[in-house]
Amino acid sequence: MIQSMTGYGRASAGQGNNKISIIIRSVNGRFLDLKLRGFDIDPSLDKKIRDLLSDRLIRGTVHINFESETSQGSESHIFNEDRFELLLKTLNSIEKKYNKKLNLSDIINSNDLFISNEFKSIDSKIILKAISSACSKVIKIRREEGLKLKKDIELRLSKLREGLHKIEVQLPVEHKKRIKKLKKRISELIDNIQIDETRVNQEIAIIAEKSDVTEELVRLKSHFDQFEKILKDNKPSGGRLNFLLQEIGREINTIGSKSFSNKIVNNIIYMKDEAEKIREQIQNIL
C-alpha cells in the first residue's frame, strides 16, 4: 500500500506522575531523520526508541516531542539555567564568526528552558508504549494520505497513456507529410537537374529512419506498466517510482527531440507537464 511520509500522532501512557504524552510529526525527507525533543533520555532508551521508529516509519523527517503529565501543584519542572546560557553563548558565537544574527525564539521552546524532575522516574516500558501508540496513529494518517496520492498519480498516468496513444495515431500521418515535404523541397532545389530518383528515395528513407521513435514508444509503454505494478506493491516504493519516472522523462524528451510535427510536440509538452506533476507527488511517498 502506498504511504505518504506526512503524518501526525499523539498518545499517552501511564498514570498520575508516572504519565507521559508523546507527539510525533512526520514530513517528507530523503532519509529517516529522527529529532527527539523534550527531555534528556538515557542512551539505552534512546536506542530502543530509534530502533522502534526506524522499523515502523522507515523514511522521512520525524519530530518526537515528550511531555510529562504530572499532578497539579507538583513542582515537576525547574529552570534549566545551564541550557539557556549555552544557547545564548552559541548564538553569540555564530554572530561573531559568521556575521549572522539568529533570534533565540527561532530555535528555543519550553522544553529547552525546563528540566523535568519526574521524567527519569517514568518506566521505560510506559514511554515505549506511548511512542508505539503515537507511531500507529502516524502510520494510519500516512496510509490515508497515501491513498489520495495513489489516486492522483493513477489519474495522471492514464493521461500519459492518452498522450502516448495520440502520438502513435499521429505518427503515420505526420510521417507521410514529412516525406512529401522533403521530396517537394528536393525537387525545388534540383529543378532541371538529372538525378537518380532511387538514390533520392534512399536518402529520404535514411532521414526518416533517424526520426523513428518506435523503440521509445515501446519502452514508454513498458515503463507505464511497471509504474502501475509498483503502485500496487506493499513495500516502500517512493525511490523506485522516482527512478522509473526519470526513465519515463528521458523517453518523452527523446521523442520530443525527434519530432517534426507541431501536433506531436504539443502532446509531448502535455505529457511532460503531467510527468512533472507526478514527480511532485512522488517526493512525499514513502
Side-chain angles (χ1 to χ4, degrees):
M1 178 184 291
I2 290 292
Q3 284 191 41
S4 165
M5 279 187 279
T6 300
Y8 173 86
R10 180 178 185 131
S12 300
Q15 294 180 346
N17 290 342
N18 202 33
K19 185 175 182 180
I20 187 170
S21 287
I22 305 292
I23 299 174
I24 300 178
R25 293 182 177 88
S26 172
V27 295
N28 62 317
R30 189 174 179 183
F31 306 104
L32 180 65
D33 183 12
L34 300 175
K35 301 178 183 294
L36 281 65
R37 303 188 68 177
F39 298 101
D40 293 328
I41 301 173
D42 181 83
S44 62
L45 177 57
D46 182 272
K47 184 179 184 306
K48 290 179 181 179
I49 292 172
R50 292 180 182 276
D51 287 346
L52 186 155
L53 294 174
S54 298
D55 184 57
R56 299 188 64 187
L57 297 182
I58 303 172
R59 193 157 69 98
T61 299
V62 183
H63 298 266
I64 306 98
N65 287 337
F66 299 81
E67 297 178 357
S68 79
E69 301 186 2
T70 57
S71 300
Q72 187 175 1
S74 64
E75 295 181 0
S76 60
H77 292 79
I78 60 175
F79 178 54
N80 190 348
E81 186 176 348
D82 291 339
R83 173 72 170 173
F84 182 70
E85 289 181 355
L86 176 61
L87 288 171
L88 290 177
K89 184 179 179 180
T90 301
L91 289 175
N92 186 48
S93 175
I94 290 174
E95 184 175 358
K96 288 181 178 179
K97 186 173 183 179
Y98 301 102
N99 195 27
K100 177 70 175 177
K101 185 174 179 62
L102 299 177
N103 294 321
L104 182 63
S105 60
D106 292 335
I107 63 171
I108 197 171
N109 63 23
S110 61
N111 293 321
D112 293 312
L113 296 177
F114 299 97
I115 302 174
S116 171
N117 289 329
E118 300 293 337
F119 182 70
K120 289 185 178 180
S121 66
I122 299 178
D123 191 331
S124 61
K125 292 181 180 179
I126 292 176
I127 297 172
L128 291 172
K129 180 181 178 182
I131 288 177
S132 180
S133 180
C135 187
S136 295
K137 293 177 181 179
V138 171
I139 293 173
K140 182 176 182 294
I141 292 177
R142 278 182 161 195
R143 287 174 176 170
E144 291 172 352
E145 183 67 20
L147 285 175
K148 295 177 183 177
L149 290 174
K150 182 173 179 287
K151 288 180 180 179
D152 184 78
I153 291 173
E154 286 176 337
L155 175 62
R156 300 193 185 284
L157 189 60
S158 68
K159 291 182 178 180
L160 287 179
R161 288 188 182 276
E162 178 185 334
L164 185 62
H165 176 69
K166 288 181 179 179
I167 290 175
E168 286 185 295
V169 172
Q170 292 164 349
L171 276 172
V173 177
E174 298 302 320
H175 179 75
K176 290 180 180 179
K177 287 182 180 179
R178 191 183 190 204
I179 296 298
K180 185 177 181 181
K181 186 176 181 180
L182 283 172
K183 286 184 176 181
K184 182 180 179 182
R185 180 59 176 159
I186 292 172
S187 297
E188 292 172 351
L189 292 173
I190 61 173
D191 190 29
N192 297 323
I193 299 177
Q194 191 72 24
I195 62 167
D196 184 349
E197 187 173 345
T198 300
R199 181 57 186 271
V200 171
N201 289 332
Q202 288 177 343
E203 293 299 328
I204 291 175
I206 292 173
I207 294 173
E209 185 178 354
K210 290 181 178 180
S211 63
D212 182 68
V213 293
T214 301
E215 290 185 12
E216 287 79 6
L217 296 176
V218 172
R219 282 196 292 267
L220 265 181
K221 289 179 181 178
S222 175
H223 291 337
F224 291 161
D225 291 340
Q226 291 179 59
F227 208 92
E228 286 186 337
K229 185 178 180 180
I230 293 175
L231 283 174
K232 297 175 182 177
D233 200 338
N234 289 325
K235 298 178 182 178
S237 54
R240 288 179 292 160
L241 289 174
N242 188 55
F243 172 77
L244 191 53
L245 189 63
Q246 290 179 24
E247 297 300 309
I248 289 173
R250 289 192 185 96
E251 302 300 344
I252 293 175
N253 286 332
T254 301
I255 294 174
S257 66
K258 291 184 177 182
S259 296
F260 45 83
S261 159
N262 288 335
K263 289 183 179 180
I264 293 178
V265 170
N266 287 337
N267 273 304
I268 289 296
I269 294 173
Y270 170 80
M271 291 177 70
K272 290 176 71 172
D273 182 55
E274 291 300 325
E276 175 60 22
K277 291 175 181 176
I278 291 177
R279 188 193 69 79
E280 292 173 359
Q281 298 286 42
I282 286 177
Q283 301 311 306
N284 198 37
I285 288 180
L286 180 63

